[in-house]
């Protein structure tokens, strides 16, 4: 009997689910709307969705664990969702325990960006014993830290909030409530603001393609390097993974970003042997990462119990 894990990637717009088999292949991938969580108990909704999914594909007896990635602040013990700005009903919720009770299966919960980095580590074949940083420029600015074989969570589980380090001379208020967070300038949201102001006749997806070398866009790209180089200078990583929808827009000048990162990184080290890796994601990346993580954690727990 094939042993499967279920990987789940919850975003502000989409709820993605799939099974990951022992050969690290995704099966039965589905994408649905996250609006299913808008009404009622989100744990019951999630449990019903998973049970229905397993029954639909006839895998109920094959699933050994579930991994759930969510765009939230998650507690250090990875059992509680502390806050989720873009989804209703997911705040101050002992989510993993409650879902385990409903499913009678182990549930492994974490920030969605951590599972994106889990995916990247596997797909890029990076050495898991090394220090690996993930920088994800999408709607916001996501960040994941992998140190000594595991994700770094910090005291409260809030480590990796690189989008919320303060920038000098930036007065805009961030959605988190603070003033001048890097995400105010280093995000897809801010790119939309620039596009509307300077390129109103251009579709947002084409701004880099149709306006190459425009000073406004070049400054935007160079500013992305500020938080990236900041963390690189602090942690001196073996690898830095760069990904996210903004970085894979048509015409995005990756060379400008790489040059700016090198310029802002301390010399001679870590700049001289900095290892930057670009990774292009698809709809299944978060599902794969959460499913693979669940399998690894389940296998480790099973080995300890023997």
């Amino acid at each position: 009997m094939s042993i499967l894990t279920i990987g789940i990637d919850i975003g502000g717009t989409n709820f993605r689910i799939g099974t990951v088999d022992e050969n690290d292949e995704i099966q039965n991938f589905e994408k649905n709307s996250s609006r299913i969580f808008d009404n009622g108990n989100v744990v019951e909704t999630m449990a019903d969705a998973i049970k229905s999914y397993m029954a639909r594909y006839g895998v109920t007896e094959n699933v050994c664990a579930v991994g759930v990635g969510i765009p939230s602040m998650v507690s250090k013990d990875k059992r509680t969702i502390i806050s989720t700005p873009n989804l209703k009903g997911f705040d101050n919720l002992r989510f993993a325990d409650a879902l385990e009770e409903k499913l009678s299966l182990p549930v492994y919960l974490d920030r969605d960006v951590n599972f994106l980095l889990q995916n990247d580590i596997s797909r890029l074949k990076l050495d898991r014993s090394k220090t690996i940083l993930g920088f994800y420029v999408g709607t916001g600015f996501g960040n994941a830290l992998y140190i000594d074989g595991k994700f770094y969570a910090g005291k409260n589980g809030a480590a990796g909030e690189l989008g919320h380090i303060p920038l000098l001379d930036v007065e805009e208020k961030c959605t988190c409530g603070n003033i001048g967070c890097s995400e105010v300038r280093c995000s897809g949201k801010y790119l939309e603001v620039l596009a509307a102001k300077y390129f109103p006749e251009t579709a947002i997806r084409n701004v880099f393609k149709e306006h190459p070398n425009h000073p406004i866009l070049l400054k935007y790209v160079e500013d992305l390097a500020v938080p990236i180089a900041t963390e690189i200078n602090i942690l001196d990583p073996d690898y830095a993974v760069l990904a996210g929808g903004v970085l894979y827009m048509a015409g995005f000048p990756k060379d400008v970003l790489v040059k700016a990162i090198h310029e802002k990184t301390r010399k001679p080290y870590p700049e001289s042997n900095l290892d930057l890796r670009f990774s292009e994601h698809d709809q299944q990346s978060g599902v794969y990462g959460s499913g693979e993580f669940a399998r690894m954690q389940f296998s480790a727990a099973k080995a300890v119990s023997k």
Side-chain angles (χ1 to χ4, degrees):
M1 181 176 69
S2 177
I3 302 301
L4 306 172
T5 54
I6 287 181
I8 292 173
D9 179 19
I10 305 173
T13 302
N14 295 312
F15 163 64
R16 305 174 182 89
I17 184 170
T19 52
V20 178
D21 65 21
E22 294 165 305
N23 297 316
D24 287 336
E25 297 293 332
I26 293 181
Q27 303 173 8
N28 310 320
F29 174 78
E30 290 185 359
K31 183 176 74 170
N32 304 292
S33 172
S34 296
R35 299 282 72 78
I36 65 171
F37 300 111
D38 284 353
N39 300 303
N41 185 304
V42 297
V43 174
E44 290 183 0
T45 301
M46 176 68 78
D48 289 345
I50 294 171
K51 289 177 181 177
S52 175
Y53 171 88
M54 290 192 295
R56 190 157 55 251
Y57 292 105
V59 298
T60 303
E61 301 303 319
N62 303 70
V63 174
C64 66
V66 177
V68 180
I70 189 164
S72 311
M73 183 181 293
V74 178
S75 64
K76 184 179 179 68
D77 66 1
K78 306 304 178 186
R79 309 304 290 171
T80 299
I81 298 173
I82 298 172
S83 66
T84 311
N86 296 318
L87 287 169
K88 298 178 181 178
F90 283 93
D91 292 344
N92 301 312
L93 181 63
R94 192 74 176 171
F95 181 83
D97 290 347
L99 189 58
E100 281 187 355
E101 185 176 344
K102 296 283 185 183
L103 297 176
S104 299
L105 287 169
V107 172
Y108 300 98
L109 171 72
D110 212 335
R111 301 160 64 226
D112 56 348
V113 290
N114 283 358
F115 289 147
L116 288 177
L117 184 55
Q118 174 81 24
N119 170 82
D120 291 333
I121 291 171
S122 295
R123 300 309 193 195
L124 296 174
K125 296 180 170 55
L126 304 182
D127 185 342
R128 294 180 184 274
S129 69
K130 304 298 185 179
T131 297
I132 307 170
L133 308 180
F135 303 100
Y136 301 103
V137 188
T139 302
F141 192 110
N143 177 224
L145 304 90
Y146 192 86
I147 302 173
D148 294 333
K150 60 184 178 181
F151 292 105
Y152 180 73
K155 177 182 177 180
N156 302 296
E161 290 293 333
L162 193 60
H164 300 284
I165 62 169
L167 298 179
L168 292 174
D169 301 321
V170 175
E171 301 299 328
E172 292 96 330
K173 186 175 183 179
C174 180
T175 54
C176 77
N178 285 348
I179 303 297
C181 291
S182 64
E183 195 170 272
V184 169
R185 294 290 176 84
C186 304
S187 64
K189 290 181 292 187
Y190 185 61
L191 181 61
E192 290 180 346
V193 172
L194 294 178
K197 181 177 180 179
Y198 294 98
F199 318 109
E201 303 303 318
T202 304
I204 180 68
R205 65 180 181 276
N206 293 326
V207 289
F208 291 110
K209 180 181 179 180
E210 295 187 16
H211 305 280
N213 302 316
H214 193 286
I216 292 295
L217 295 179
L218 292 179
K219 184 179 187 309
Y220 168 82
V221 174
E222 290 166 357
D223 285 347
L224 294 178
V226 173
I228 294 172
T230 297
E231 189 167 272
I232 287 172
N233 284 335
I234 294 170
L235 292 175
D236 185 20
D238 295 276
Y239 311 102
V241 179
L242 307 172
V246 170
L247 274 55
Y248 280 87
M249 292 173 65
F252 181 88
K254 293 179 184 177
D255 57 330
V256 174
L257 177 60
V258 169
K259 182 174 182 288
I261 292 171
H262 277 275
E263 287 176 347
K264 298 177 190 304
T265 303
R266 195 183 191 284
K267 285 75 172 174
Y269 298 110
E271 187 274 332
S272 63
N273 61 358
L274 186 58
D275 192 342
L276 301 175
R277 306 287 184 96
F278 281 88
S279 179
E280 186 171 8
H281 294 160
D282 58 28
Q283 293 288 335
Q284 300 184 12
S285 297
V287 168
Y288 174 80
S290 56
E292 185 196 35
F293 184 82
R295 177 171 53 77
M296 293 172 64
Q297 295 300 304
F298 177 80
S299 298
K302 188 176 179 180
V304 169
S305 67
K306 287 184 177 180

